[in-house]
């Protein structure tokens, strides 16, 4: 007991001491298979048959023209584009399987594909919520806070676009969100595809911040975006423009069909996955029509709806199964796979945690390369939550820790310690422990391991409440990364000019 | 929208309609590997070396005698037993890899080993807690309620022993707990090893309830138990007696070293796993010394302590990694692997869910055959929680649903539905959906998928609170399985006689 007391008196290690290892995440586990290779081939062939027989309704004339030039059968009256399977397979053979996404800070560059994993925070949420001030529409001050949190935690590798900066007029909003990304963080940027003019502004600001010529920018990936299909089987205008703009600029584009089984996709998982696969292929193929070798990712978002209410559900068993299958389908095509950390809960309680875990384990054990909405997604994506952000950081860090190898060196095997301690002894004070006690285990940020007595004495504080203090402290501790004054000035001059010009139209 | 409204007006399907499939759980996924085959061999050899060089302190003279008779090097002064590796490997080669555990109701028999999974509820908890009445010492009324919940949910396959029936005197407590198991449930029984006399009573009551001769009982497995080592490297008296009693009776015994890294085991995972492996081997070997072919399981419980406070932690990254490695080690030995659903939270909130998920995914993706403490464990095992029980049922059911195959038949591929709906349509009312809407997806018991507006209107009820209603309703709906009147009488007569005799001594 004397030993134990001495040990307790040592200085506490800092919980966030050693998280730089989360900047490059490599998944050591062989990806799970939920479908046989034959079943994957069957879905792949069936998706190609859908594109050949039914086709993709393609609203944008430029997109139809790109498809036509590559050999697709295009009907400009019905807007339907039908594809020969061989054409898709040939074009997709040019899509790269591995790539690097560059950051303002080269130490923050990340690798995409293979066993690499990158994680982004919540995207797309129109609302924002926290335990103190409750739920409110998205606004730019909260978006800046979410960027600071994304910068603060190493396990978040790239930026995102939520909550929505809805208090800024749409024509200039993209200028402010991009400026916030480039000045509050040095991690790779995220772009929304809301029309060619807006995307061009995003690109220009990223070029300025990185001191790139147009050619430099085109030679390396500096940003990423997502387009969704209007499932089933329709490609809308802003999405088509985004695909074209990103392919032209050689930037990273993920194509994510929004295939909720029972709603926008067949109620059977095999049917929904076939639709997802067809739509992902059609979208990524457009990128390849524009520029062979354009970097693209396969987005899997298949989930189900509550057949009682029609409400979307996430982190369900069907979601997890679809995720694992999506990984297999993406690997069949040979492109990186994007999955998500999603849930349908209204509060960061047990349900939000178990649905997130179902999502995350499906993604990570399925071999996901990109995890979107990694931290802060709540309410099926309708709100960005501060406390959920912290809970997700904890969960992500725990999972990434399981990726760290088990050391079986002689020292780690601890034979000396076994001899020192002997039968029915304890290891609290032995030399082997003393040499390692402050870094042996993952130090949680939100989990409370105190016993019931201590926990009660300390006010019976639940996890949700604890997380409020943690995000507040993280915002206090956040440090703005350096950016050269001339770059900042040039960005600000660009924004001022574009505002004078009236901003950029949305498509 | 008309379609959607019609669909909503249909009768709601019952949430618990089709759970009989959970009675036989088969894991389709290839078990994860976290260590190479060489590393597993290294740990296995190092564990054998520990048993050869340091040995196991064995308090019970009968156990030492069994070991000695099988060729071990026994010192009756120091109580140390040292083992030749070849002796252990030879004896362990007799341990079966697959077996069947029998129930009062043959439809509840379960298979152990291979890809089979069986799940038991919380065991060992001295306290019980629920959201209404708070935390209190374990008592028999609550134990009976936990048995009813275990009987009610199909995903719980075998019984357990918690919360402790602490309001019954220890010498007769086992009679009442066994009677409760045999009359409130028809699933396979659980036994505590608290001395030969008590175990004999358990066995006799199980024989009576199943109308078995002593020989019948010995030919088939009707109950299971756990013994823990007094880690490091000590086997205490009740545990040794339990191993001997169960091997003699040919009943299923799991040997679970309690190896918390940094406390009762080296602070390194490799060291803790080596100690766990040595202790598990030594325990299971004793069973084989008593009776070659005695059914045994390999218990993996390696976790870590909070090095700041000394408190045990569960569901940590280290726990998950150790679980996956334990599965590999058990398969190296060729016996079923027991893991657990454990957490260190004080309340069923987000922390309890993410720690449980870390435990469960480690267990299931690692290929666990037996999951102890599957439902209701809280506070690192110090309390059995009603609400956590429900949350765990939800999580277990969700995971077992991921084990169900994805149907890729022509009908499931939904080509007709794709043609019927067409681009940008919806599947709510199509024929393919109508034929499947009431059974397509997992129906949750505790998750609430209503949107934020509805959820708020309905009182913003969190998951913890919702679960109170669910366990209360489950206890109302519980149905006692039939038991022949003469069996019940014989059990009661046995209990009366044993009480008159003063019950059974604890060892």
């Amino acid at each position: 007991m004397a030993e134990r007391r001495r040990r307790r008196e040592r200085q506490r290690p800092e919980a966030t001491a050693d998280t730089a290892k989360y900047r490059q995440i490599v998944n050591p586990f062989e990806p799970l298979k939920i479908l046989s290779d034959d079943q994957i081939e069957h879905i792949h062939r069936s998706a190609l048959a859908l594109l050949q027989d039914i086709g993709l309704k393609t609203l944008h004339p430029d997109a139809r023209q790109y498809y036509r030039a590559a050999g697709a059968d295009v009907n400009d009256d019905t807007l339907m584009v039908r594809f020969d399977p061989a054409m898709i397979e040939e074009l997709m053979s040019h899509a790269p399987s591995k790539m690097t996404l560059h950051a303002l800070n080269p130490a923050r560059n990340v690798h995409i594909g293979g066993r690499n994993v990158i994680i982004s925070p919540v995207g797309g949420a129109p609302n924002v919520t926290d335990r103190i001030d409750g739920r409110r529409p998205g606004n730019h001050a909260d978006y800046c806070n979410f960027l600071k949190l994304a910068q603060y935690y190493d396990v978040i590798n790239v930026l995102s676009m939520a909550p929505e900066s809805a208090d800024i007029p749409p024509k200039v909003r993209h200028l402010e969100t991009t400026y916030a990304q480039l000045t509050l963080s040095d991690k790779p940027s995220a772009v929304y595809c809301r029309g060619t003019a807006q995307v061009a502004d995003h690109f220009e600001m990223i070029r300025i911040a990185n001191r790139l010529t147009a050619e430099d920018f085109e030679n390396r990936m500096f940003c990423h975006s997502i387009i969704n299909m209007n499932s089933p089987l329709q490609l809308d205008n802003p999405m088509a423009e985004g695909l074209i703009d990103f392919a032209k600029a050689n930037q990273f584009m993920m194509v994510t069909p929004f295939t909720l089984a029972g709603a926008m996709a067949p109620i059977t998982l095999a049917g929904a996955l076939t639709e997802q696969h067809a739509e992902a292929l059609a979208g990524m193929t457009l990128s390849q029509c524009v520029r062979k070798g354009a970097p693209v990712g396969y987005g899997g978002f298949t989930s189900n709806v509550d057949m009682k209410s029609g409400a979307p559900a996430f982190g369900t068993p069907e979601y997890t199964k679809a995720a694992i299958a999506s990984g297999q389908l993406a690997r069949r095509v040979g492109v990186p796979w994007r999955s998500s950390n999603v849930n349908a809960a209204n509060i960061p309680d047990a349900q939000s945690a178990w649905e997130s875990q179902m999502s995350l384990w499906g993604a990570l054990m399925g071999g996901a390369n990109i995890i979107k909405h990694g931290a802060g997604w709540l309410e099926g994506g309708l709100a960005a939550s501060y406390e959920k952000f912290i809970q997700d950081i904890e969960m992500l860090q725990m999972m990434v820790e399981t990726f760290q190898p088990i050391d079986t060196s002689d020292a780690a095997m601890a034979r000396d310690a076994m001899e020192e301690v002997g039968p029915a002894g304890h290891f609290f004070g032995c030399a082997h422990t003393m040499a390692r006690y402050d870094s042996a285990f993952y130090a949680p940020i939100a989990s409370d391991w105190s016993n019931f007595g201590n926990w009660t004495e300390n006010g019976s504080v639940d996890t949700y409440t604890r997380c409020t203090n943690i995000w507040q402290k993280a915002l206090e501790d956040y440090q703005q990364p350096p950016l050269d004054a001339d770059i900042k000035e040039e960005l600000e001059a660009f924004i001022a000019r574009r505002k004078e010009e009236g901003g950029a139209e949305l498509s």
Side-chain angles (χ1 to χ4, degrees), chain A:
Chain A
M1 283 313 291
E3 278 301 338
R4 184 161 169 165
R5 222 171 8 254
R6 273 207 297 284
R7 192 188 38 71
R8 282 189 180 161
E9 283 159 10
R10 286 174 215 143
Q11 188 152 14
R12 290 188 164 221
E14 275 300 308
T16 52
D18 179 28
T19 62
K21 61 187 167 185
Y22 304 148
R23 294 184 187 186
Q24 298 290 340
I25 305 169
V26 178
N27 184 341
F29 296 108
E30 189 67 33
L32 289 185
K33 287 185 175 188
I34 196 166
L35 292 171
S36 70
D37 292 346
D38 284 350
Q39 286 178 306
I40 290 294
E41 201 58 28
H42 183 43
I43 290 176
H44 180 67
R45 293 285 142 210
S46 301
L48 290 172
L50 280 185
L51 293 174
Q52 184 168 36
D53 301 339
I54 302 179
L56 181 75
K57 190 168 185 177
T58 306
L59 305 193
H60 202 289
D62 290 359
R64 291 199 302 278
Q65 186 50 38
Y66 276 113
Y67 280 139
R68 180 185 285 121
D73 171 21
V74 178
N75 183 326
D76 284 322
D77 296 324
T78 63
L79 311 179
M80 293 304 295
V81 180
R82 291 183 178 78
F83 303 85
D84 184 73
M87 171 195 156
I88 290 179
E89 303 232 72
E90 197 286 321
L91 282 163
M92 285 306 299
S93 72
H94 299 281
S97 59
K98 287 190 176 189
M99 54 205 89
T100 297
L101 185 57
H102 293 264
L104 272 177
N105 175 355
R108 298 291 197 172
N109 292 352
V110 291
H111 305 297
I112 299 176
R115 291 287 178 91
N116 296 293
V117 182
I118 65 170
I119 303 173
S120 79
V122 53
N127 301 294
V128 60
T129 185
D130 73 78
R131 203 180 52 81
I132 308 289
D133 293 327
R135 191 179 190 260
R136 53 206 183 262
N139 60 83
H140 196 58
D142 281 310
Y143 177 51
C144 290
N145 279 343
F146 273 73
L147 284 174
K148 290 177 183 176
L149 293 175
Q151 173 69 10
Y152 184 76
Y153 289 106
D154 279 322
V155 78
I156 299 296
N157 313 112
V158 297
L159 302 180
S160 192
M161 295 282 267
E164 184 75 24
S165 297
D167 51 346
I168 302 177
K171 283 189 185 178
V172 298
R173 190 181 299 164
H174 65 295
L175 301 170
E176 297 296 348
T177 56
T178 307
Y179 181 77
Q181 288 188 39
L182 294 169
T183 53
L184 296 176
S185 174
D186 58 6
K187 298 184 184 183
S189 297
V191 169
Y192 270 160
C193 293
R194 289 176 172 167
T196 296
Q198 294 225 340
V199 169
D201 284 343
H202 282 291
F203 287 171
E204 183 60 23
M205 291 179 72
I206 293 168
R207 279 196 288 262
I208 292 168
N210 287 277
R211 297 188 195 277
L212 304 171
T213 64
E215 197 188 339
D216 290 337
F217 181 68
E218 208 176 304
N219 284 336
R220 288 186 292 170
M221 282 167 37
F222 285 88
C223 60
H224 69 284
S225 188
I226 300 278
I227 73 107
N228 298 125
M229 288 284 166
N230 183 351
S231 303
L233 296 176
Q234 178 164 303
L235 177 59
D236 289 347
N237 281 334
M239 302 288 96
E241 282 185 19
L243 281 168
I244 294 167
D245 297 335
F246 265 67
K248 280 182 177 169
N250 210 23
Q251 301 299 307
F252 185 51
M253 170 57 78
M254 291 170 269
V255 179
T256 306
F258 193 32
T259 39
L260 291 179
M264 302 87 104
I267 194 168
T268 47
L269 277 191
L273 286 165
T274 304
E275 183 187 311
Q276 168 190 292
H277 196 63
E279 293 174 3
L281 283 173
M284 295 187 293
T285 293
L286 177 55
S287 302
Q288 306 308 313
C289 291
V290 175
R291 179 192 193 112
K292 283 184 183 171
V296 291
Y298 181 116
F301 211 77
T302 295
S303 191
N304 55 299
V305 296
D306 179 4
M307 294 310 294
K308 296 175 197 162
S309 67
F314 296 103
T316 61
E318 291 76 22
Y319 178 91
T320 305
K321 291 163 71 174
I324 297 168
S326 297
Q328 293 183 262
L329 288 165
R331 286 189 294 278
R332 168 64 182 79
V333 179
V335 293
W337 168 44
R338 166 260 161 119
S339 191
S340 311
N341 172 11
V342 288
N343 71 93
N346 286 296
I347 194 175
D349 64 0
Q351 177 188 335
S352 81
W354 73 56
E355 289 181 344
S356 267
Q357 289 272 336
M358 289 290 290
S359 301
L360 281 171
W361 281 95
L364 290 170
M365 293 302 103
N369 300 110
I370 304 108
I371 300 190
K372 286 283 294 178
H373 311 303
W377 157 299
L378 202 65
E379 295 180 33
L382 294 179
S385 158
Y386 282 87
E387 285 83 10
K388 184 66 165 69
F389 194 103
I390 299 303
Q391 298 189 8
D392 287 328
I393 294 293
E394 181 89 296
M395 291 193 266
L396 290 166
Q397 291 187 163
M398 289 172 76
M399 288 185 176
V400 173
E401 282 290 333
T402 67
F403 292 174
Q404 310 301 318
I406 296 178
D407 178 7
T408 53
S409 65
D410 284 353
M413 293 295 287
R415 172 64 186 256
D416 290 352
M418 291 300 298
E419 304 209 355
E420 180 184 343
V421 170
H426 70 76
F427 292 77
F428 283 119
C430 76
H432 188 259
T433 301
M434 299 293 276
R436 293 168 177 82
Y437 77 95
D438 60 352
S439 62
F441 306 127
Y442 172 67
I445 60 171
S447 289
D448 182 339
W449 294 338
S450 57
N451 65 33
F452 185 78
N454 290 336
W455 181 76
T456 308
E457 270 174 41
N458 290 325
S460 305
V461 182
D462 72 1
T463 304
Y464 185 19
T465 308
R466 290 198 299 274
C467 288
T468 305
N469 302 332
I470 298 168
W471 68 256
Q472 288 173 334
K473 178 77 162 49
L475 287 180
E476 272 173 35
D477 293 350
Y478 158 83
Q479 293 191 318
Q480 189 164 15
L483 187 68
D484 291 347
D486 63 318
I487 288 178
K488 198 153 175 278
E489 275 166 33
E490 196 177 341
L491 287 172
E492 286 164 5
F494 177 82
I495 292 171
R497 175 169 68 78
R498 295 294 291 130
K499 283 186 175 176
E500 268 177 48
E501 292 166 0
E505 291 296 332
L506 283 75
S507 77

